[in-house]
Amino acid sequence: MFSMCLEEHCTFGNPSQLPSLMQKEYGIFTEDFVTTFAPEIFKVYLHQVELFFSGQAWLGKKFQYQIFQFFTEYIEPKPTWILLKPHVDSLLPTRNGVNA
């Protein structure tokens, strides 16, 4: 169920992914989703990732993939980029303390 919701939101909730032919039908939903719902989802996902990296929570491989897929899809819209930007360095893999 989570995968289906994630897929629908990535298709219809992301302005950069919405085909131009669907703008008229889904444009209002898309803008509302990216400014209202996506930031709240981001906050929850970022918190879960922080808990995972600190060893306070476990995330299955599939859920890790889905969270980072969501981050990837919503890196472009400004309301979600503002939330993600301060965490980029901690989310990227590092080698010898330097981001790869």
Side-chain angles (χ1 to χ4, degrees), residues 49-64:
V49 170
E50 288 170 359
L51 291 174
F52 175 73
F53 284 155
S54 69
Q56 298 176 33
W58 178 84
L59 298 176
K61 294 285 185 189
K62 185 173 183 177
F63 192 61
Q64 290 176 42

Side-chain angles (χ1 to χ4, degrees), residues 9-20 23 26-27 30-31 33-34 70-80:
H9 292 139
C10 288
T11 302
F12 300 110
N14 185 341
S16 66
Q17 300 295 322
L18 190 63
S20 58
Q23 287 288 341
Y26 294 102
T30 300
E31 291 302 319
F33 182 83
V34 81
F70 186 85
F71 289 166
T72 302
E73 293 292 328
Y74 285 91
I75 199 168
E76 190 174 325
K78 187 174 183 174
T80 49

Side-chain angles (χ1 to χ4, degrees), residues 17-37:
Q17 300 295 322
L18 190 63
S20 58
L21 295 173
M22 300 177 104
Q23 287 288 341
K24 185 175 182 181
E25 187 174 356
Y26 294 102
I28 293 172
F29 169 80
T30 300
E31 291 302 319
D32 191 43
F33 182 83
V34 81
T35 58
T36 306
F37 295 102

